[in-house]
Structures are given as structure tokens and as C-alpha cells.
Amino acid sequence: MKKFLRIITLLMSFLLVLTLFIGCDKENEDKDDSEFDFGDEGGADFFPDIERKDYGEDLNFYIMGASNPPDYFLLADEDDNDGSPMDEAVFNRQEKVNRFLGIDLVLLKPTDNTGHTTYIKHVESAIKNMDGTMETILTHVNGCVANLISENYLLDLSEFDGIDLEADYWNQEFMDDLELNGNYFLGLSDFNLLYTYVIAFNKNMLELYESHLDKSLYDLVRDREWTLDEMISLSSLVYLDATGNGKTTDDTFGISGTCWVSFCGFLTSSNIPMMEQDQSGAYLIAINNDLNGAKADNLISKLKDLGASNNAWFDYDYSKNSVPITAGKTLMHVCSTFSLPGYLDYNIEFGVVPFPMYDLDQASVGYKSLQWGGYIGVLSYQKNAIKVAEALELLAFYSENVKITFYEKLLGKQVADMPDDAAMLEIIWDSVSTDVGQTFVGAGTSSDRGVCYTVPELMWPSSTQNLSSFIKSKETQINTGFKKFLQEID
């Protein structure tokens, strides 16, 4: 009898273990396979050449600078997922990569001063300690990227097995513009949404003034007739002195904006390069050459005059933004795409258009929208370079739904809720460009902001320099610095 009871007890224990095992296996199976279709993304007819595995490790992304999408557009915290379409799209992408590779994606941010010298010190420390605490960086354009490259802190992305830079979800054309001696030290993929600048406008207010235009604002853009002069002309129609005390923030203006980073976009939109390669391959300042100098000088003069007029309120302190479009006191406002969702909290209908072209002669080239952040770099010390490459590739591949959610559902439907505005956003997304003088602003110099901030610096009321003297004060240092910079890469 005792033997029989022992057999029954053993049998029941075996069945219990078997049941738990089957239940656990079923739970994992449901978790991995029923919630996620790993091979499907936006109708893609291929899958990256990556096998499923379990690394059992973290992958750390270090954010250098604020000019990236908000954190929650990059990686999602499950506890903060409010079920919104954007949170769901980002979380779903992250979970697919986590489960396909058996990794956890982690965002790191400096807790101390966020200056550029602080960023690079953290990178130096991670490479020196070889502890794997920092593997990939997300940087905006001048977050010491030139210093990182010249110090051999970043790897050439084209040499990574597992990364296919020719895939649609990598911006090959954009990266070709920043290629240095055959190296792709910075990547731009669909993982990191574009940080671009636009001109938002108050639709209700525009109805009061659009009759002064030859055609609708949207048609001006579509027909490539939206120029700097058209923008200034439209701005000049609006000035309402609310108090009778002269120009104050209580008044209503034709255009407003913070005269800093966003105003660098007027160079880009005018197709005026900051730096260009000569026939020998050397990078030289080009903003003041015979072809571009007169255009740049005229551009800055017109913007400066506009800022001094009653029709515009330009803040010359980037920590302020006295007359945003949300106040209902400006017809147009210069802003970034990532400020647009915040407009949903205000009872104002608005649309968006790209920055204007310099003149009609630029129509064959079209619009050139400023791209200010979102670069991906991989640190030169890696515990597991294949893991990093595969994760970056999958994050880019799985980003189609995130892009659709942000561009179409959030901006295209909620913010810019008309087909015309959605078309304007497409023009902006399709026209992003950059310049080595913008991205590698600190190359070979100790400085300062190179020629990147030429427009806002010369527009400041306190500025006494003209374009020629401003460039002359920088030319030797920057041209020599870029030459040294390229030699260090060799």
C-alpha cells in the first residue's frame, strides 16, 4: 500500500511538473509568436539577413544633445505606455527587437551638465574602461561629432556585418553627403525620426490676408513659387498694435521665431552651402564664394530688416519664445516638427509649409529642409559588434509603422488635418539635407560654431559684422582645420 501511494505521489508530481513545463512553454510561445509577426513590416517583401538568437545582454544608446526625437519616440517604457498609437507603435518595434535578439534596449542620458565637452568625456570614459556601458550614440549635428571621429571613437558603419546601408530604411543619399574618405561614421535610419524645421501658420488668420497672394499658399509651394520674397511680403501684411505703445509681445505679427538654430535653415532652404569640396577633395568654406556670397549677404540683410520691422517678432534669446503660434498673435511661426504635437492643446487651426526657396531660379532644385539631429554612431570599443549591428538593422527595419504613426496619424491627421497639409509634410520629409559645415562644425577648431550659425549670428541686433568680415575671421582656421581633420581620418 505504501509502495502504491509512493508511485501515485511520484506520478502526480511528474504530471504537475509536466503541466507547468507545458504551460510555461505555451506562455513563451504565445508571447513570442502570437503577438508579433517578426517578418512583416509595412508590406516589406524581404527580411534582413539576421537569424533569431538570444544574446541575453543590454544594448545601450547614449543620447548626446537635445536635438533628437523625444525619448518616448525612440524607446518605450512599458510603465508609461498609455495605449496611444505612438506609444503602441514604438513599444511594438522595441519588443520585436528585444525578443528576436534576446536583448534589452536602454537609453542613457548624462545626469550632469549637458555641454558638448561633457558628452565627449562620457564617451572617452566608456571607451577607456571597456566595460560595455555605452555602445551606440544618438547625436545632433554639432554634439562633438567631429572630435569623436578625429579621436577614432566612432566606427565606419559600412564595415559592419549585419547592416545593409543600401536598404530603404537607411538614408543612403543623406549619408553620402557626410561620407568622409570613404567612411560612414554617422548613420541616419528610420529608427530616429527626422528632426526638421517648418513654418507653421494660423489658418484662420491667413484667410484675412490670402487674397493678397496670386494663388493659395499651398499652390505657391506646390508650384515652387514659395520664395523668401513671398514669405516677407506675406509677413508685411500683418501688424496690429494692441496697446498703442509700439511693438510689444501683446501685438499681432506676420511672423515670429527664435533667431537661433531654426534660422540656420534659411541657408539650407536657399541652397547656399556652408562648405564644399574642391577638385582635390579638400573641404573649403563656400558660403562667401563668387556664386554664393551675394545670395547669402542678401538673405541675411532681408531677414535682419524683417526682424527689425513691426511685422516680425524674432527672439534673440533661444531660451525664450515670446510669440508662439499658439498665442494666436502671429500669422507664421518658425518651429520644429517635434513642437507641432503640442499645438493640439490649443484651439487654433494651423497648417505647415517648408522654408522658402531663395528665389525662382532655385525652382529646378526645389526645397531644402534643415535636418538637425538623429544621427547614429557606434563606439569604437565593442564587446559584441555583431549584436549592435543586428539591433540597429532591425530597429530601422521595424520602424515603418512608427513613421506612419508619427507622420500620418499624429501630424498628418491630428495636427495637419487636411490633405494639403499632409502634402506639405511630404515635401518637407523628402527634401531634408545637410552640409559638412553644419554637421562637423567643430572640425579641426577649438571653437566655436564655425559657419553653421552664420545667419542667426549676423542677424542679432548687437552684431556689427557683415558677411565678408565674419567669414574672413573664420576662414583660415576652418579651412586648415578641415584639412587636418581629413588627414586624421586617413
Side-chain angles (χ1 to χ4, degrees):
M1 186 63 159
K2 290 182 180 179
K3 183 177 180 181
F4 175 74
L5 289 174
R6 282 198 300 270
I7 293 174
I8 292 296
T9 301
L10 288 172
L11 182 59
M12 291 179 65
S13 299
F14 173 76
L15 289 173
L16 178 61
V17 172
L18 182 62
T19 301
L20 291 172
F21 176 79
I22 292 173
C24 180
D25 185 63
K26 181 66 168 62
E27 180 183 348
N28 288 333
E29 180 183 331
D30 290 344
K31 188 176 183 181
D32 287 343
D33 298 329
S34 66
E35 292 181 15
F36 300 105
D37 183 349
F38 291 104
D40 177 47
E41 181 63 20
D45 56 1
F46 74 98
F47 188 80
D49 186 18
I50 299 173
E51 294 182 1
R52 192 172 179 184
K53 58 200 61 151
D54 185 3
Y55 283 113
E57 298 176 354
D58 291 345
L59 173 60
N60 297 314
F61 289 87
Y62 181 57
I63 300 182
M64 299 177 64
S67 294
N68 282 287
D71 295 354
Y72 50 85
F73 285 175
L74 292 165
L75 297 176
D77 186 335
E78 187 171 10
D79 294 336
D80 295 332
N81 183 352
D82 63 6
S84 68
M86 196 65 200
D87 276 2
E88 286 293 310
V90 173
F91 183 73
N92 191 271
R93 171 182 64 185
Q94 180 175 324
E95 283 296 281
K96 284 183 177 181
V97 178
N98 285 351
R99 298 185 186 191
F100 193 88
L101 296 179
I103 61 176
D104 284 322
L105 304 174
V106 181
L107 279 180
L108 304 174
K109 296 171 66 175
T111 56
D112 49 5
N113 185 290
T114 56
H116 298 158
T117 54
T118 301
Y119 298 146
I120 200 166
K121 284 180 180 178
H122 285 288
V123 175
E124 287 174 340
S125 176
I127 290 176
K128 180 180 178 181
N129 294 332
M130 297 185 178
D131 55 8
T133 56
M134 190 184 301
E135 297 156 290
T136 303
I137 62 168
L138 302 171
T139 179
H140 72 308
V141 296
N142 60 348
C144 287
V145 290
N147 308 75
L148 292 170
I149 292 169
S150 62
E151 295 293 333
N152 296 314
Y153 291 160
L154 298 181
L155 296 174
D156 177 9
L157 292 174
S158 66
E159 295 184 357
F160 273 70
D161 291 333
I163 292 181
D164 179 8
L165 294 183
E166 295 184 1
D168 289 343
Y169 42 78
W170 289 95
N171 195 321
Q172 183 70 48
E173 180 181 356
F174 190 92
M175 290 186 293
D176 283 344
D177 290 340
L178 302 179
E179 171 266 322
L180 296 171
N181 291 351
N183 298 285
Y184 293 89
F185 294 111
L186 296 176
L188 182 68
S189 79
D190 289 349
F191 165 57
N192 208 335
L193 297 169
L194 296 173
Y195 195 105
T196 50
Y197 285 90
V198 299
I199 294 180
F201 63 91
N202 185 319
K203 287 185 176 182
N204 295 330
M205 194 180 296
L206 182 64
E207 291 178 359
L208 303 175
Y209 303 99
E210 198 166 31
S211 61
H212 294 271
L213 302 175
D214 292 334
K215 56 182 71 174
S216 76
L217 182 53
Y218 295 121
D219 284 339
L220 282 175
V221 174
R222 272 189 283 261
D223 296 340
R224 294 191 176 184
E225 296 175 10
W226 174 236
T227 63
L228 178 66
D229 285 342
E230 285 285 356
M231 186 195 79
I232 293 172
S233 177
L234 182 57
S235 303
S236 69
L237 298 174
V238 186
Y239 175 58
L240 301 176
D241 188 348
T243 62
N245 296 328
K247 185 177 173 180
T248 72
T249 55
D250 294 321
D251 301 334
T252 301
F253 302 93
I255 190 168
S256 65
T258 301
C259 185
W260 197 233
V261 170
S262 59
F263 278 69
C264 302
F266 282 105
L267 272 184
T268 305
S269 68
S270 298
N271 200 34
I272 300 173
M274 303 169 208
M275 305 283 296
E276 280 187 325
Q277 282 183 292
D278 64 12
Q279 292 182 341
S280 70
Y283 281 104
L284 300 172
I285 289 181
I287 191 176
N288 66 328
N289 65 22
D290 293 341
L291 182 64
N292 304 307
K295 286 175 62 177
D297 200 37
N298 190 41
L299 166 69
I300 294 165
S301 177
K302 288 188 174 185
L303 289 173
K304 192 167 186 175
D305 288 345
L306 177 61
S309 74
N310 285 336
N311 309 105
W313 184 280
F314 293 154
D315 291 307
Y316 294 96
D317 181 345
Y318 61 85
S319 66
K320 297 179 180 178
N321 190 1
S322 302
V323 190
I325 195 171
T326 52
K329 294 180 177 293
T330 182
L331 172 61
M332 293 180 284
H333 183 63
V334 182
C335 60
S336 80
T337 46
F338 289 107
S339 66
L340 295 178
Y343 293 0
L344 292 170
D345 297 331
Y346 297 84
N347 188 27
I348 295 175
E349 281 193 65
F350 69 93
V352 291
V353 291
F355 274 50
M357 299 182 297
Y358 179 76
D359 58 23
L360 292 178
D361 291 340
Q362 193 183 322
S364 60
V365 177
Y367 302 97
K368 295 284 186 179
S369 299
L370 177 68
Q371 157 69 8
W372 194 250
Y375 300 122
I376 298 169
V378 177
L379 268 61
S380 54
Y381 168 72
Q382 293 294 326
K383 280 185 173 181
N384 193 335
I386 295 295
K387 175 195 72 175
V388 174
E390 291 179 342
L392 290 179
E393 186 77 357
L394 287 178
L395 281 168
F397 175 78
Y398 285 133
S399 290
E400 183 66 18
N401 192 45
V402 177
K403 286 174 55 186
I404 291 172
T405 302
F406 180 70
Y407 296 157
E408 296 184 12
K409 294 181 181 178
L410 183 57
L411 295 187
K413 296 294 192 297
Q414 294 182 34
V415 177
D417 59 356
M418 299 294 287
D420 283 328
D421 297 308
M424 296 299 105
L425 287 169
E426 286 298 324
I427 290 172
I428 293 164
W429 307 139
D430 291 341
S431 67
V432 293
S433 63
T434 192
D435 186 298
V436 292
Q438 168 194 322
T439 305
F440 306 116
V441 62
T445 72
S446 56
S447 68
D448 84 356
R449 295 175 288 270
V451 290
C452 184
Y453 293 87
T454 297
V455 171
E457 287 196 6
L458 291 181
M459 281 182 62
W460 277 54
S462 59
S463 174
T464 58
Q465 290 181 299
N466 58 32
L467 176 66
S468 179
S469 61
F470 180 80
I471 298 301
K472 187 175 181 179
S473 68
K474 298 173 178 292
E475 194 165 19
T476 299
Q477 182 190 30
I478 293 176
N479 287 347
T480 303
F482 261 86
K483 182 178 179 179
K484 182 174 181 289
F485 177 52
L486 292 177
Q487 289 172 342
E488 289 171 339
I489 295 171
D490 284 337

